[in-house]
Amino acid sequence: MKNLDAVGDLKDLNYLALHSISKLPLHFVNRLKKLKHLRILLGGREHIQEIEENEIDDLEISRVRGFHDLSNIANFRALTRLVMEDQIQLREVSFDREMKALEELAIWNCKGLSRLTGMEQLPSLRKLRILKTAIDFDSFIHQKLPSSLSTVEFVTTKRKVDQEIQESLVKLGYQKWSSS
């Protein structure tokens, strides 16, 4: 797509995958009122602040070099699924406003991520997957978690530690994440 100002012609678009878009501003996404699934893959950018309140229900940000700021996540008020993958600059994800629709949260290989807070703001969260982050399991699991949460996977890639975490999760009544 060479001229993103021509996006007005795509107002009925419901799925958009942006690959390797480094310098392009994302404000055009705000005009895609029927957009439900947004995937941002590769390239480089620090944030997605240009995206205003929207009805996107599935957001995936994967392997975007330099991405470190997800502070506008509450703008995605219809979000049911959020996937963050390979975001080594991301240090914190904080849900500071209620996100009633979010049911599934997956964070993979965000090695710099040490804080995931505001989980009580996610009353519909059912599935949570945290793999290869800097989040301390003991601190994380003792925060207030949504009562709707039934499936949790937390992996450090240290075999013995992961086995202990899995046992703790089972004792707390959580199911293991399955691919289905």
Side-chain angles (χ1 to χ4, degrees), residues 140-168:
F140 174 78
I141 203 67
H142 288 101
Q143 71 178 302
K144 185 169 170 42
L145 297 172
S147 59
S148 58
L149 190 59
S150 60
T151 304
V152 178
E153 184 174 16
F154 195 106
V155 176
T156 66
T157 68
K158 294 176 184 142
R159 193 169 172 219
K160 186 173 175 158
V161 171
D162 289 344
Q163 186 175 353
E164 290 171 4
I165 288 172
Q166 184 58 38
E167 289 169 6
S168 295

Side-chain angles (χ1 to χ4, degrees), residues 65-83:
R65 192 176 52 257
F67 189 88
H68 66 83
D69 181 359
L70 194 61
S71 60
N72 71 325
I73 191 62
N75 286 349
F76 295 81
R77 60 181 179 243
L79 207 58
T80 61
R81 180 177 173 265
L82 174 60
V83 176

Side-chain angles (χ1 to χ4, degrees), residues 70-75 92-99 117-122:
L70 194 61
S71 60
N72 71 325
I73 191 62
N75 286 349
E92 176 178 5
V93 175
S94 180
F95 298 98
D96 56 358
R97 290 196 319 207
E98 188 173 60
M99 295 186 71
T117 61
M119 298 300 291
E120 72 278 4
Q121 300 284 5
L122 310 176

Side-chain angles (χ1 to χ4, degrees), residues 54-68:
N54 60 72
E55 295 300 319
I56 294 169
D57 74 3
D58 192 334
L59 175 63
E60 185 176 337
I61 301 174
S62 185
R63 298 182 199 105
V64 179
R65 192 176 52 257
F67 189 88
H68 66 83

Side-chain angles (χ1 to χ4, degrees), residues 13-114:
L13 193 67
N14 64 25
Y15 177 90
L16 179 62
L18 301 171
H19 295 256
S20 301
I21 56 151
S22 293
K23 304 276 190 250
L24 250 43
L26 296 176
H27 62 274
F28 72 92
V29 171
N30 298 320
R31 295 195 307 247
L32 303 174
K33 300 299 182 193
K34 294 186 179 178
L35 189 62
K36 295 296 179 192
H37 183 128
L38 177 60
R39 184 172 189 226
I40 303 172
L41 177 67
L42 301 171
R45 70 178 45 252
E46 295 179 1
H47 55 74
I48 53 173
Q49 295 293 341
E50 307 100 314
I51 301 177
E52 299 165 356
E53 284 197 0
N54 60 72
E55 295 300 319
I56 294 169
D57 74 3
D58 192 334
L59 175 63
E60 185 176 337
I61 301 174
S62 185
R63 298 182 199 105
V64 179
R65 192 176 52 257
F67 189 88
H68 66 83
D69 181 359
L70 194 61
S71 60
N72 71 325
I73 191 62
N75 286 349
F76 295 81
R77 60 181 179 243
L79 207 58
T80 61
R81 180 177 173 265
L82 174 60
V83 176
M84 301 292 298
E85 184 176 357
D86 294 326
Q87 299 310 136
I88 60 172
Q89 300 286 326
L90 189 64
R91 303 282 179 246
E92 176 178 5
V93 175
S94 180
F95 298 98
D96 56 358
R97 290 196 319 207
E98 188 173 60
M99 295 186 71
K100 292 181 180 178
L102 191 61
E103 296 177 2
E104 185 177 321
L105 174 60
I107 301 172
W108 307 2
N109 203 31
C110 296
K111 293 177 181 164
L113 184 69
S114 60

